[in-house]
């Protein structure tokens, strides 16, 4: 695929590793070989998937002459943390609008990503009610900053527009190149599906390189139908931006919503088990909101024979471990 026509900053040091997970594969059994793509090890304070998207989004902001970035997320948003991190690195101001999706969940003194917002010197944090129109809130902030002489640029939640999703088309191509070099035939890829840029970008990239590996999205908030439509629309638009001639079929988008539990960011027993299992068997830290729930899906897929015997399955680890420190009670209770 050709990404050279788009503004891009270089945040990656090279491909993230693909590792076999021998101990986890053995514990789960069912003749499934599990592998992990370590996007948790991407550069940027605390690591994680938003770095790939921000290579393109922040480059676009800088190309437009912005000196200030505004973005939004949940109260423990990894995306907000990484946007603050790369803004700091680039000498840009960063302002956050945080959505209290769970009532009363914003605590100024909270640990995890919230603490890191402070260390990374975000210029302001606005907290709004769950269900607020986040784009309208960010536009309001942009208006205020522009009136004060700043040049603000808005990055949408999760950097999940076609610009950000391009970073995950890059990841799919990178993954396919690695698999070819390793001569490793992967039968399924499992990814978390949140604001949808990761999932959509992976599908677009796999289509663009004709990789033919099905992508299974594990939802972290929405129902299957709603999430699939969001991913599909973003994938179609991103494929158009990248001039992927074959286009995206509706069937290419598959989501699973059984692992969301009571709602976004709310712990489930299966998430707790997944986080503990990855830590104990492979010394890999997941997070409570995204990779932990996606891994709960992966584990259930293996146990319930979703993959045929002898399958090789690649789990895309999108990071998020700083959020663990905001959930210590959840893990210590069990
Ligand atoms: C944002 C995020 C995701 C989900 O990616 P989307 O592109 O928003 O779907 C998964 N894992 C972690 C750790 C994240 O921060």
């Amino acid at each position: 695929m050709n990404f050279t026509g788009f503004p891009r900053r270089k945040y990656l040091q090279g491909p993230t590793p693909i590792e076999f997970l021998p101990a986890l594969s053995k514990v789960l059994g069912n003749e499934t070989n599990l592998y992990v793509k370590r996007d948790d090890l991407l550069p940027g304070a605390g690591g994680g998937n938003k770095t790939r998207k921000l290579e393109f989004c922040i480059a676009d902001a800088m190309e437009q002459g912005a000196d200030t970035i505004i973005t939004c997320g949940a109260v423990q948003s990894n995306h907000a943390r990484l946007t603050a991190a790369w803004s700091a690195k680039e000498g840009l101001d960063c302002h956050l609008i945080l959505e209290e999706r769970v009532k009363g969940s914003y605590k100024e003194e909270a640990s995890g990503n919230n603490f890191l917002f402070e260390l990374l010197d975000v210029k302001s944090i606005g907290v709004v009610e769950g269900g607020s129109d986040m784009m309208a809130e960010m536009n309001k902030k942009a208006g205020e900053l522009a009136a004060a002489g700043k040049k603000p640029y808005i990055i949408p939640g999760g950097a999940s527009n076609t610009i950000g999703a391009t970073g995950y088309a890059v990841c799919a191509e990178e993954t396919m190149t690695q698999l070819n070099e390793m001569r490793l035939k992967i039968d399924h890829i499992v990814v978390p599906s949140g604001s949808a840029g990761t999932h959509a970008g992976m599908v677009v990239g796999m289509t663009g390189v004709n990789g033919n590996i099905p992508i299974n999205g594990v939802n972290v908030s929405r129902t299957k139908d709603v999430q699939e439509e969001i991913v599909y629309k973003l994938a179609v638009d991103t494929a158009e931006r990248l001039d992927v001639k074959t286009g995206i079929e509706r069937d290419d988008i598959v989501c699973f919503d059984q692992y969301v539990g009571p709602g976004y960011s709310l712990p489930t027993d299966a998430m707790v088990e997944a986080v503990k299992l990855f830590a104990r068997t492979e010394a890999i830290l997941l997070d409570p909101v995204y990779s932990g729930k996606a891994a709960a899906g992966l584990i259930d897929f293996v146990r319930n024979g979703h993959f045929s015997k002898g399958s090789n399955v690649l789990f895309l680890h999108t990071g998020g471990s700083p959020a663990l420190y905001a959930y210590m009670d959840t893990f210590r209770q069990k």
Side-chain angles (χ1 to χ4, degrees), residues 124-171:
S124 76
I125 296 179
V127 182
V128 299
E129 262 180 36
S132 299
D133 180 343
M134 298 307 282
M135 194 45 85
E137 296 289 342
M138 290 192 289
N139 278 325
K140 200 167 91 190
K141 186 78 199 174
E144 289 166 23
L145 289 166
K150 289 290 188 180
K151 296 196 179 69
Y153 179 98
I154 294 174
I155 297 178
S160 281
N161 52 12
T162 59
I163 302 171
T166 298
Y168 267 88
V170 170
C171 179

Side-chain angles (χ1 to χ4, degrees), residues 66 73 96 117 158 180 189 193 203 216 293 322:
L96 301 178
F117 301 156
N180 283 324
I189 295 178
S193 198
V203 171
N216 301 261
K293 283 187 180 173

Side-chain angles (χ1 to χ4, degrees), residues 49-50 53 78-79 158 160 192-199 287 290-291 318-320:
N49 65 339
K50 302 311 178 308
K53 300 169 166 193
N78 299 300
H79 163 69
S160 281
S193 198
S195 64
T198 301
H199 187 178
D287 84 284
Y290 297 95
S291 51
T318 46

Side-chain angles (χ1 to χ4, degrees), residues 10-279:
K10 189 173 163 38
Y11 297 157
L12 274 65
Q13 302 289 336
T16 56
I18 291 178
E19 297 169 3
F20 179 46
L21 301 175
L24 183 65
S25 301
K26 196 167 167 213
V27 167
L28 294 176
N30 239 345
E31 292 175 44
T32 308
N33 304 306
L34 298 174
Y35 294 80
V36 63
K37 170 82 171 155
R38 298 292 306 268
D39 271 14
D40 58 317
L41 301 180
L42 281 166
N49 65 339
K50 302 311 178 308
T51 288
R52 288 190 189 270
K53 300 169 166 193
L54 292 169
E55 274 200 338
F56 290 96
C57 292
I58 291 190
D60 191 58
M62 292 170 76
E63 173 134 317
Q64 293 186 26
D67 57 14
T68 300
I69 304 288
I70 302 169
T71 198
C72 67
V75 297
Q76 281 289 338
S77 168
N78 299 300
H79 163 69
R81 184 235 315 147
L82 280 166
T83 303
W86 290 113
S87 297
K89 180 88 174 153
E90 299 282 14
L92 304 167
D93 286 355
C94 180
H95 295 260
L96 301 178
I97 309 283
L98 301 181
E99 180 187 4
E100 230 184 0
R101 295 186 193 171
V102 178
K103 217 173 155 69
S105 60
Y106 178 74
K107 299 205 172 51
E108 214 180 309
E109 70 284 5
S111 177
N113 285 314
N114 179 72
F115 170 62
L116 299 180
F117 301 156
E118 216 177 289
L119 277 188
L120 294 164
D121 195 29
V122 302
K123 297 294 181 260
S124 76
I125 296 179
V127 182
V128 299
E129 262 180 36
S132 299
D133 180 343
M134 298 307 282
M135 194 45 85
E137 296 289 342
M138 290 192 289
N139 278 325
K140 200 167 91 190
K141 186 78 199 174
E144 289 166 23
L145 289 166
K150 289 290 188 180
K151 296 196 179 69
Y153 179 98
I154 294 174
I155 297 178
S160 281
N161 52 12
T162 59
I163 302 171
T166 298
Y168 267 88
V170 170
C171 179
E173 181 171 74
E174 173 186 306
T175 301
M176 206 56 240
T177 302
Q178 287 173 299
L179 296 177
N180 283 324
E181 277 167 8
M182 295 164 83
R183 298 186 191 171
L184 173 60
K185 183 182 170 295
I186 289 290
D187 302 294
H188 281 275
I189 295 178
V190 175
V191 306
S193 198
S195 64
T198 301
H199 187 178
M202 286 295 288
V203 171
V204 171
M206 259 309 146
T207 306
V209 299
N210 204 22
N212 292 316
I213 305 175
I215 312 281
N216 301 261
V218 180
N219 296 4
V220 298
S221 58
R222 302 184 187 92
T223 57
K224 176 181 170 72
D225 291 359
V226 172
Q227 183 69 9
E228 284 181 350
E229 277 307 312
I230 292 171
V231 176
Y232 177 58
K233 186 169 183 315
L234 182 57
V236 167
D237 293 349
T238 305
E240 199 180 300
R241 178 174 198 253
L242 298 177
D243 202 15
V244 173
K245 297 273 193 273
T246 35
I248 305 298
E249 303 289 335
R250 178 62 183 78
D251 291 359
D252 296 338
I253 310 299
V254 180
C255 288
F256 296 83
D257 63 8
Q258 307 88 306
Y259 310 101
V260 174
Y264 176 81
S265 80
L266 297 172
T268 62
D269 290 347
M271 177 281 288
V272 171
E273 189 208 2
V275 170
K276 288 187 173 177
L277 204 52
F278 268 69

